[in-house]
Amino acid sequence: SSGINAEWPLRPGGSSSAAVLCLYDHEEVGSQSAHGAGTELTNLVLQRLSGNNSELLAKCIAKSFLLSADQVHAVHPNYVSKHESNFQPAVNGGICMKHNSNQRYATTAMGAALLRELALRNDIPLQEVMVRNDSPCGSTIGPIMSAKTALRTVDLGCPQLSMHSIREMGGAKDPYHAVRLYKAFYEQF
């Protein structure tokens, strides 16, 4: 899912900003479907929200920010060496921001700084993970959405063990922290 917060002319209550939540299907099979993030749907919706005014749309995108929310591989006790020693997300340690030098995640330095500040101001635990250069990893809709919309993007999610297995598990505290962060994002960005 993605959150887009921009200044649009259609926000209720007199505000000039609109908070948009996009939920996509087929993310696990590549997002290239009629309902996936690889469609033009998001751009079409943003164009409609801007009244089909390309200049307004460009200004709104420049002021906007997207959170690409997925899950994160927590450090598995049997495979600790698969993680960088200073980036080891723990279950129940808080939501986790994802970095990848091969651009498998869309987090940039500016986006990371903004998210760190938001978490700090709201006393929300924030972890970070950097996938090792010599370790392949999957991706998220973050790079797809960032490339298609030109929105500043951060990839993040709750840590879990055994992702994609029949026994994947996460912590009970992390969704609470995630909801607090998403709420702060929608209210303060």
Side-chain angles (χ1 to χ4, degrees):
S1 64
S2 307
I4 302 168
N5 196 358
E7 290 191 17
W8 303 107
L10 303 176
R11 183 80 184 252
S15 172
S16 65
S17 66
V20 179
L21 174 68
C22 304
L23 303 172
Y24 297 103
D25 199 0
H26 305 143
E27 184 267 336
E28 291 298 333
V29 293
S31 300
Q32 297 298 323
S33 70
H35 309 288
T39 68
E40 288 300 313
L41 179 62
T42 303
N43 282 330
L44 294 172
V45 168
L46 296 179
Q47 287 171 10
R48 295 275 311 267
L49 286 173
S50 69
N52 290 313
N53 180 330
S54 60
E55 186 175 326
L56 176 62
L57 179 60
K59 287 179 183 177
C60 292
I61 285 174
K63 296 177 182 178
S64 298
F65 196 81
L66 179 137
L67 296 181
S68 173
D70 199 342
Q71 295 292 86
V72 174
H73 289 280
V75 173
H76 193 287
N78 293 336
Y79 304 101
V80 174
S81 65
K82 292 289 186 183
H83 282 77
E84 291 284 355
S85 60
N86 54 340
F87 290 102
Q88 297 198 347
V91 171
N92 281 327
I95 195 161
C96 187
M97 183 167 35
K98 305 193 285 191
H99 305 272
N100 184 275
S101 58
N102 295 319
Q103 301 301 303
R104 303 295 289 165
Y105 304 133
T107 304
T108 62
M110 184 177 9
L114 288 169
L115 196 68
R116 284 185 202 112
E117 183 63 26
L118 183 67
L120 181 68
R121 287 183 183 189
N122 291 279
D123 196 30
I124 299 167
L126 180 67
Q127 303 180 83
E128 298 191 41
V129 66
M130 173 64 138
V131 176
R132 288 176 35 167
N133 269 348
D134 64 348
S135 181
C137 73
S139 190
T140 67
I141 65 170
I144 295 169
M145 297 304 299
S146 180
K148 288 181 96 42
T149 63
L151 290 163
R152 292 175 290 175
T153 304
V154 166
D155 270 300
L156 72 165
C158 294
Q160 70 177 95
L161 292 171
S162 305
M163 191 183 300
H164 304 298
S165 77
I166 61 169
R167 290 183 177 84
E168 58 186 30
M169 64 182 124
K173 296 177 184 176
D174 292 326
Y176 169 74
H177 298 307
V179 168
R180 288 183 55 226
L181 184 69
Y182 301 150
K183 184 175 188 289
F185 172 75
Y186 275 110
E187 290 176 350
Q188 297 170 30
F189 181 78

